Amino acid sequence: MSAVVTNNTISNKDFIDDDKGAFEYVEGDSEGVDLTPVASEYWVNLPESLQGLSVDELEQLEKRTKWKIDIRILPMLVYIYILNYLDRNNIATARLGGLEKELGLKGSEYQTAISILFVGYILMQIPSNMILNKLGRPALYMTVVMTLWGVISACCGAVQNYAGLVVVRFLLGWIEAGFFGSALYYLSMWYTRKELALRNSILYSGSLISSAVSGLIGLGILEGMEGVHGISAWRWLFIIEGAITVGSVPFAYVILPDKPSNTKFLSQQEKDMVMWKLTQEVGQADDDEKQSKGYYKDALLLALKDMKVWLVTGILSTLVAAAGVTNFFPSVVSTLGFNRKTTLGLTAPPYGIAVVATFIWARHADKTGERYFHVVIPLLLSMVSFIIAVATLSTAGRYFAMCMMVPSMYCAFTVILTWMSNCVPRPPLKRAISLSLMNCLANSTSIWNAYLYPSNDAPRYLKAFCCNIGFLAVSIILATILRIRISRLNKRIAQGTMNWWRELGNDGSHISPDFRYLK
């Protein structure tokens, strides 16, 4: 045990722990210092810049540092993700504005235009995070990606036929792949495992906010820009939203820091606090020179051989397969029989509810450190929502189901994203590859599930919704298997029989003795 209280401060010296759990202080006057055994055990192995601080000062520094990071990083990441989703999914709004008719799309060509984006997205997922890890400049990398996808999205407004639409959509997916996986990896460089679920949910709120406002933005453009300068309103939709993305790049580059070790907006004490917290949790911070560079082949093999990686990937993949309904949400809502203006307005409330619900749910998941029930309960509610949507043609009943299916799916989604980082905390390159693999395979379901929603299946979309119920059931089964697997690994850690070479690629000597996988 280390840390001794000296004149109301903590330093890295030994103290004596008696049999009753109280501490006998070796030197100095501890009068007036409220240092409980729990607090003492937490503040150990402190870096030099933090050793002269009292427990109260350390706790205040920790809170202040976390707040500064939250304010600096999260709003900008959410804003970028809003733009990301607007540029990716505005094709659904453009469809209501006459895209299919003007480009002469027939049969399943619109579904193919939706699907082809995910082909490009999948192909670039793993290479993107490997490039990010090698470059070591996440702020630079994400803003370059942002510039490129904004330009490509604007180009969607210039396509003249089906072939042009497919090419541009493929390129858009190929470039956009560099953002979300990078953002998840980026957040895991700044926050501990028990802080991640809330931050990931805040990040993902960007997509939910985007989905909530996209219909309203689309409504304004479709109603007000038709024929301006001889250009169709749906083309203005792509041009305007792409231009907004490109125009936001300079702000993103200036605001986003790179890594805790080289950022300039934190003081040295604040940097040390971030690095110390990450090191205390799993023995090493991401900036450890040996770990951060790593060997790509070794890290890739560690990820591919890890059962936990495949189980989390399977849980997310089956959920994303069910969540394919969101790619067609305006079309699904249009089955309620309202006009275009009302339909686009009705797409907003389910996503607005989802923003609030995912925040509350993820915050509770972080506070409890529990993952399994925070995934399974929303999945069960999602199943109920699809059953209602299939079972009734009542307008009120179907819209209630829509308002339940979106929040419940995304409550589970944000916790699953965090579960991967919890299951693969180190080495960093293995975590980066695991996150990319998860996103890659999960989004592959969007290639084919678009074909489950032909327009002639409206209003029930019986085939799609029944499949979605089955997908969610499989997701629950896989989550149960993962919980069992994690319980066994935690038991091995407690018994000292854990095979760290298989998990980390090293002997695990840097791992904290208190480390356990979250289940």
Side-chain angles (χ1 to χ4, degrees), residues 163-182:
L165 180 63
V166 167
V167 170
V168 173
R169 291 281 296 176
F170 173 83
L171 291 175
L172 182 63
W174 194 74
I175 294 298
E176 280 199 348
F179 173 69
F180 187 59
S182 299

Side-chain angles (χ1 to χ4, degrees), residues 15-28:
F15 57 80
I16 301 170
D17 183 3
D18 67 20
D19 292 337
K20 296 180 181 179
F23 294 101
E24 176 186 342
Y25 302 113
V26 180
E27 58 176 298

Side-chain angles (χ1 to χ4, degrees), residues 108-165:
S108 61
E109 289 180 344
Y110 173 78
Q111 283 80 4
T112 301
I114 293 286
S115 300
I116 198 66
L117 179 140
F118 296 97
V119 175
Y121 194 88
I122 290 164
L123 291 176
M124 193 56 182
Q125 271 289 313
I126 293 178
S128 174
N129 265 18
M130 294 178 77
I131 293 170
L132 172 62
N133 188 81
K134 181 69 173 178
L135 181 64
R137 296 286 309 280
L140 174 63
Y141 182 74
M142 286 191 286
T143 49
V144 169
V145 168
M146 186 179 174
T147 304
L148 294 175
W149 97 56
V151 171
I152 294 171
S153 179
C155 289
C156 286
V159 298
Q160 299 298 320
N161 51 45
Y162 168 65
L165 180 63

Side-chain angles (χ1 to χ4, degrees), residues 301-349:
L301 289 175
L302 283 175
L304 294 178
K305 292 179 180 179
D306 192 336
M307 181 179 176
K308 302 189 304 301
V309 171
W310 291 108
L311 286 171
V312 179
T313 299
I315 296 167
L316 188 67
S317 296
T318 46
L319 173 57
V320 171
V325 66
T326 60
N327 294 324
F328 295 86
F329 205 61
S331 298
V332 172
V333 175
S334 69
T335 64
L336 297 176
F338 297 103
N339 59 34
R340 185 175 72 179
K341 182 182 294 187
T342 303
T343 294
L344 289 173
L346 288 174
T347 61

Side-chain angles (χ1 to χ4, degrees), residues 238-480:
F238 290 114
I239 294 169
I240 292 172
E241 292 182 354
I244 292 173
T245 298
V246 175
S248 301
V249 168
F251 301 101
Y253 180 73
V254 170
I255 292 173
L256 289 178
D258 278 320
K259 297 187 291 186
S261 62
N262 65 7
T263 187
K264 296 180 180 179
F265 84 98
L266 296 178
S267 67
Q268 188 58 50
Q269 281 189 332
E270 290 166 340
K271 291 185 211 177
D272 288 343
M273 175 59 74
V274 176
M275 301 300 293
W276 173 81
K277 285 171 62 181
L278 295 171
T279 301
Q280 281 297 105
E281 186 175 57
V282 288
Q284 285 175 305
D286 281 357
D287 284 326
D288 181 283
E289 188 71 14
K290 181 179 178 181
Q291 288 293 328
S292 63
K293 288 186 176 179
Y295 294 98
Y296 292 100
K297 181 180 178 181
D298 292 342
L300 178 61
L301 289 175
L302 283 175
L304 294 178
K305 292 179 180 179
D306 192 336
M307 181 179 176
K308 302 189 304 301
V309 171
W310 291 108
L311 286 171
V312 179
T313 299
I315 296 167
L316 188 67
S317 296
T318 46
L319 173 57
V320 171
V325 66
T326 60
N327 294 324
F328 295 86
F329 205 61
S331 298
V332 172
V333 175
S334 69
T335 64
L336 297 176
F338 297 103
N339 59 34
R340 185 175 72 179
K341 182 182 294 187
T342 303
T343 294
L344 289 173
L346 288 174
T347 61
Y351 288 100
I353 297 169
V355 171
V356 177
T358 54
F359 178 84
I360 296 172
W361 196 246
R363 184 175 178 82
H364 188 264
D366 269 352
K367 282 186 173 296
T368 61
E370 198 281 330
R371 295 292 180 256
Y372 173 75
F373 289 107
H374 283 86
V375 169
V376 169
I377 291 173
L379 293 178
L380 290 172
L381 291 176
S382 297
M383 292 178 69
V384 171
S385 69
F386 283 113
I387 291 171
I388 294 173
V390 168
T392 181
L393 287 176
S394 163
T395 299
R398 289 178 61 79
Y399 191 63
F400 171 77
M402 294 172 194
C403 287
M404 185 167 68
M405 71 175 61
V406 173
S408 57
M409 284 191 293
Y410 285 119
C411 279
F413 189 93
T414 54
V415 178
I416 295 169
L417 293 178
T418 306
W419 214 356
M420 179 63 88
S421 293
N422 296 158
C423 287
V424 190
R426 294 294 182 275
L429 186 53
K430 178 186 177 184
R431 187 175 74 246
I433 292 172
S434 299
L435 288 168
S436 298
L437 181 66
M438 173 182 68
N439 283 319
C440 173
L441 295 182
N443 281 283
S444 69
T445 62
S446 298
I447 295 175
W448 50 263
N449 69 12
Y451 297 97
L452 295 176
Y453 297 87
S455 57
N456 57 5
D457 273 7
R460 288 184 185 273
Y461 289 103
L462 181 64
K463 177 174 61 180
F465 286 2
C466 286
C467 286
N468 291 345
I469 294 168
F471 296 146
L472 295 169
V474 173
S475 190
I476 292 172
I477 293 170
L478 293 175
T480 303

